[in-house]
Amino acid sequence: MFYFDPVYFIFILPGLGLALFATFLTKSTFSKYSKVKSSKGFTGAEAAFEMLKRSGIGDVKVEPVRGRLTDHYDPTSKTLRLSEDVYSSTSLAAIGVACHEAGHAIQHAHGYVMLGFRTALVPATSFCSSLYAWVIMFGFFFSAPKLILIGVAMCAMAVVFSIVTLPVEWDASARAKLAMVDVSLLSPEECEEAGKVLNAAFLTYLASAITAVLTLLYYLYRLGLIGGRR
Ligand SMILES: [Zn+2]
């Protein structure tokens, strides 16, 4: 009964709506600007390489990875992996995404505090995110309030992670937008269009953070800790 609570959907509806819109916007903006070639002709991989070079970083590998929108920076092996759509494409979308990922590599090299914090939270967050709903459910099933509270604390962990992610993603995009003009990878007009791809992607992170907060609020409401009734 707890699981099929319609109140849950009322709580998370704004987050869910924003998430759907953000996913649509990211896909359509990426698709639109992946058809627009940049005037200077850099590929995504070259753009990332040039941006890293400008920041004095020479020990980060840039390599292609399978899949769509699978681009990421791996801090353990100092490798920037760009999807095939981004690695060898000269489109505005490809350069935007590649520079955003290079932004994460620069955050890592410069010891950007929030990135370190987010990386440190990853193991605990993946553990908590996959188990908290079960812990809360068992807590209700066995009428164990302490277990329910542990579950809610685990849910709060996921909220902290999704909120810490926001400045990290915003900062990587801000670094990318600056570098695209400073390193002369794109013209200022092209940079603005590539920036739209990054803004849409940021909206997806914002939507997950809002959904995580609303989920936590829902559990707090069900426990009678907010809203004045159980
Ligand atoms: Zn990112």
Side-chain angles (χ1 to χ4, degrees):
M1 177 214 141
F2 184 65
Y3 236 61
F4 299 104
D5 188 353
V7 176
Y8 174 66
F9 292 101
I10 295 167
F11 262 85
I12 66 155
L13 208 60
L16 223 51
L18 185 64
L20 281 173
F21 172 70
T23 305
F24 164 77
L25 194 69
T26 304
K27 284 189 177 168
S28 61
T29 318
F30 185 85
S31 158
K32 180 179 175 190
Y33 291 110
S34 60
K35 293 184 190 90
V36 183
K37 300 289 165 208
S38 74
S39 57
K40 306 204 177 178
F42 286 101
T43 63
E46 287 164 349
F49 181 79
E50 291 299 324
M51 183 171 156
L52 292 170
K53 196 169 81 179
R54 169 63 72 96
S55 298
I57 297 165
D59 60 347
V60 168
K61 292 186 289 271
V62 182
E63 56 186 42
V65 65
R66 281 174 177 275
R68 292 202 76 195
L69 298 173
T70 45
D71 313 80
H72 65 277
Y73 171 67
D74 174 9
T76 47
S77 63
K78 287 195 178 180
T79 308
L80 211 158
R81 299 195 181 94
L82 301 175
S83 61
E84 285 147 352
D85 282 353
V86 167
Y87 187 87
S88 51
S89 165
T90 61
S91 73
L92 299 184
I95 291 177
V97 171
C99 289
H100 170 92
E101 296 307 330
H104 285 309
I106 294 168
Q107 287 174 336
H108 184 223
H110 291 181
Y112 175 65
V113 175
M114 296 306 270
L115 179 74
F117 189 30
R118 182 174 75 164
T119 308
L121 288 176
V122 169
T125 304
S126 47
F127 175 78
C128 290
S129 300
S130 53
L131 286 181
Y132 78 83
W134 290 100
V135 173
I136 293 172
M137 200 172 69
F138 278 118
F140 272 95
F141 191 75
F142 293 111
S143 301
K146 279 188 184 154
L147 200 56
I148 298 171
L149 280 179
I150 291 171
V152 172
M154 288 165 78
C155 177
M157 182 78 210
V159 171
V160 171
F161 181 79
S162 66
I163 289 173
V164 168
T165 295
L166 296 179
V168 175
E169 293 304 327
W170 183 267
D171 178 82
S173 287
R175 288 172 196 262
K177 287 172 189 172
L178 271 180
M180 286 189 290
V181 177
D182 280 0
V183 189
S184 284
L185 300 169
L186 298 178
S187 71
E189 296 75 30
E190 288 175 327
C191 177
E192 199 157 304
E193 293 181 315
K196 287 180 190 168
V197 177
L198 303 183
N199 294 345
F202 181 76
L203 201 60
T204 60
Y205 289 105
L206 187 64
S208 350
I210 290 172
T211 307
V213 170
L214 294 174
T215 303
L216 179 64
L217 288 177
Y218 163 75
Y219 285 121
L220 294 177
Y221 170 78
R222 292 295 294 174
L223 288 170
L225 296 172
I226 56 165
R229 59 184 270 265
R230 190 164 173 148

